[in-house]
Amino acid sequence: MAEQVLSEPRRLRERWGALSPWLRIGVFYLAARAVTTGFFVLASAMSGPGSRFGVNPTVADLAVGWDAQWYWLTAVSGYPADLPLTSSGQVAENQWAFMPIYAYLAAALGAALGSWIAGAVVISLVAGYLSAVVLYRLWTPRVGASAAMWAVIFFVSGPLAALFQVGYAESLFMLWLFLALLLISQRRYGWLYVVVPLMGFTRPAVLAFALFLGLFGIWRWMRRQEDPLRGREVTHILALGALAVGVGFAWQVIAAVATGDPAAYLATELAWRRNWLTGDSAGFVPFEGFVQGAEFWFVSWGSSALIGLIVLGLGIVALGALLIFHRAVRRTGMEIRLWAASYLLYLLAVFFPQSSIFRLLVPLSPLWAAVAVPKRTAWRVSVLVVALAGQWWWIYNMYALGNTYWQIP
């Protein structure tokens, strides 16, 4: 009898291990979504008169909050032919900052489900699960099945995992991005001619992927003696890089033609920056946003602009060293490291750092594999606990409160 009792857990482990990875990922994903839903319910109960959402909002109210409202407005009203202006005559926030695929796909599905937000959340949920499956396939050859599954658990439970359950385009964008990285790692370039445009018209970050393709091509050229680089592969890399650049600038051209204003898209994006910076802007200047941000935040915290710039510089050096030298990061593979470097450089070039930076770092999720590499169970459980704590902190601040300038998701 004792032997029977002792062997039962072993049988359960064997049955669990015999399940297909996509089924095990599904179990973890559903469990993580249940936890996130509990966090949203708690945030709803804690939401008060000072909150952006008022007293006792529903979970659906939270799901359609913040930028989800812009995607909804895009779906029902389209894009303005005449750019809205502020009282001072500057371009105001408007739909041109939001790419069309997620908004209209949610509208199409929502027509069958009864509401736009229902369609949006279903897309986010499904895309989040499929992203986890793709990441598992990307990670397994590099770090092994066990670490890859733990990395999936971190990904679906992480600090920004609430994005899988709200009307934001991040889930869908990550699905296209991770598919693209998987295809690149497998040297299967054909489908990328479809995936790259899907990526580019879901969220504005395809220029980072263009930079990645350039760096990837250089890396392949440097290794051509040990890993032969055929002419066909060179053609694909060059053509896909050109496609990514074209798609990256296409939305600016479309906005310019539709509105008659050549600066329509960039002026729209800069409208959000004016929430933090006052005064007229000379227009978009690459890398200016992070310099302004370092000065703004450190002065706000009672320090000096110079200290902010020093910290920014040291942070850039530290991130570069991490991607180049850290053993666990190196194990994730050159494709993931080159993507991380490309995306971080892209953010430095185009973004003004504020509380949305946490959300904008989500495309770096392939680096979760490096966190999962250490095999100590205590380490992995601790990471999971910290990830869930971070998730609650984010939901509490952005949804239960959401009442000050640093509580914007």
Side-chain angles (χ1 to χ4, degrees), residues 321-341:
L322 184 72
L323 292 174
I324 295 171
F325 298 112
H326 196 282
R327 183 179 300 177
V329 175
R330 290 171 65 89
R331 280 195 60 185
T332 64
M334 185 57 76
E335 292 87 354
I336 289 176
R337 293 160 63 204
L338 290 177
W339 161 250

Side-chain angles (χ1 to χ4, degrees), residues 50-385:
S51 168
R52 178 185 179 92
F53 295 94
V55 179
N56 293 325
T58 65
V59 173
D61 291 333
L62 301 182
V64 78
W66 295 108
D67 281 1
Q69 286 286 305
W70 285 108
Y71 286 109
W72 170 81
L73 185 61
T74 300
V76 300
S77 301
Y79 294 91
D82 297 314
L83 293 173
L85 302 178
T86 65
S87 58
S88 61
Q90 296 173 304
V91 174
E93 299 170 353
N94 65 83
Q95 298 96 296
W96 282 109
F98 301 88
M99 302 300 167
I101 287 182
Y102 181 76
Y104 290 123
L105 192 59
L109 182 58
L113 298 177
S115 69
W116 181 88
I117 190 57
V121 170
V122 167
I123 290 169
S124 292
L125 281 168
V126 173
Y129 165 70
L130 294 176
S131 296
V133 173
V134 173
L135 280 177
Y136 179 82
R137 291 192 60 186
L138 178 64
W139 285 328
T140 301
R142 293 162 171 77
V143 299
S146 175
M149 190 61 74
W150 271 100
V152 164
I153 294 171
F154 299 155
F155 171 66
V156 302
S157 308
L160 276 294
L163 292 171
F164 300 134
Q165 295 177 226
V166 295
Y168 274 65
E170 267 74 9
S171 279
L172 190 59
F173 175 78
M174 284 191 287
L175 175 59
W176 307 139
L177 169 63
F178 301 159
L179 274 172
L181 292 175
L182 179 64
L183 290 167
I184 288 286
S185 71
Q186 296 176 340
R187 311 296 188 260
R188 296 165 57 193
Y189 298 101
W191 279 106
L192 285 166
Y193 293 94
V194 176
V195 174
V196 167
L198 289 172
M199 188 193 315
F201 289 105
T202 299
R203 271 199 53 77
V206 74
L207 287 177
F209 194 77
L211 175 59
F212 159 74
L213 285 169
L215 295 177
F216 174 77
I218 293 171
W219 174 69
R220 289 287 292 115
W221 174 260
M222 292 173 63
R223 297 183 69 251
R224 65 189 184 280
Q225 299 298 330
E226 52 193 287
D227 187 2
L229 179 62
R230 305 184 188 283
R232 184 177 180 182
E233 186 177 356
V234 173
T235 301
H236 278 306
I237 294 172
L238 292 174
L240 287 166
L243 175 63
V245 170
V247 170
F249 286 105
W251 193 244
Q252 296 184 38
V253 175
I254 292 169
V257 171
T259 64
D261 184 348
Y265 174 72
L266 291 178
T268 297
E269 288 287 2
L270 290 174
W272 267 267
R273 192 174 296 185
R274 287 196 299 272
N275 292 325
W276 287 268
L277 300 176
T278 58
D280 293 332
S281 172
F284 172 72
V285 178
F287 300 102
E288 181 183 47
F290 255 88
V291 172
Q292 292 175 327
E295 296 173 344
F296 172 83
W297 287 107
F298 276 82
V299 170
S300 299
W301 295 333
S303 186
S304 69
L306 177 60
I307 296 298
L309 294 175
I310 292 173
V311 170
L312 174 62
L314 292 175
I316 293 171
V317 172
L319 286 171
L322 184 72
L323 292 174
I324 295 171
F325 298 112
H326 196 282
R327 183 179 300 177
V329 175
R330 290 171 65 89
R331 280 195 60 185
T332 64
M334 185 57 76
E335 292 87 354
I336 289 176
R337 293 160 63 204
L338 290 177
W339 161 250
S342 301
Y343 186 67
L344 287 171
L345 185 60
Y346 167 81
L347 285 184
L348 282 171
V350 306
F351 187 62
F352 174 83
Q354 32 85 1
S355 56
S356 294
I357 190 69
F358 300 112
R359 173 171 57 86
L360 293 183
L361 290 176
V362 169
L364 296 175
S365 292
L367 290 174
W368 275 120
V371 183
V373 163
K375 296 182 179 181
R376 298 184 300 277
T377 301
W379 164 258
R380 289 170 169 174
V381 172
S382 298
V383 170
L384 178 59
V385 170

Side-chain angles (χ1 to χ4, degrees), residues 276 297 354-356 358 393 397-398 401 404-408:
W276 287 268
W297 287 107
Q354 32 85 1
S355 56
S356 294
F358 300 112
W393 180 90
N397 279 281
M398 308 302 170
L401 300 180
T404 190
Y405 67 98
W406 59 268
Q407 293 170 333
I408 299 174

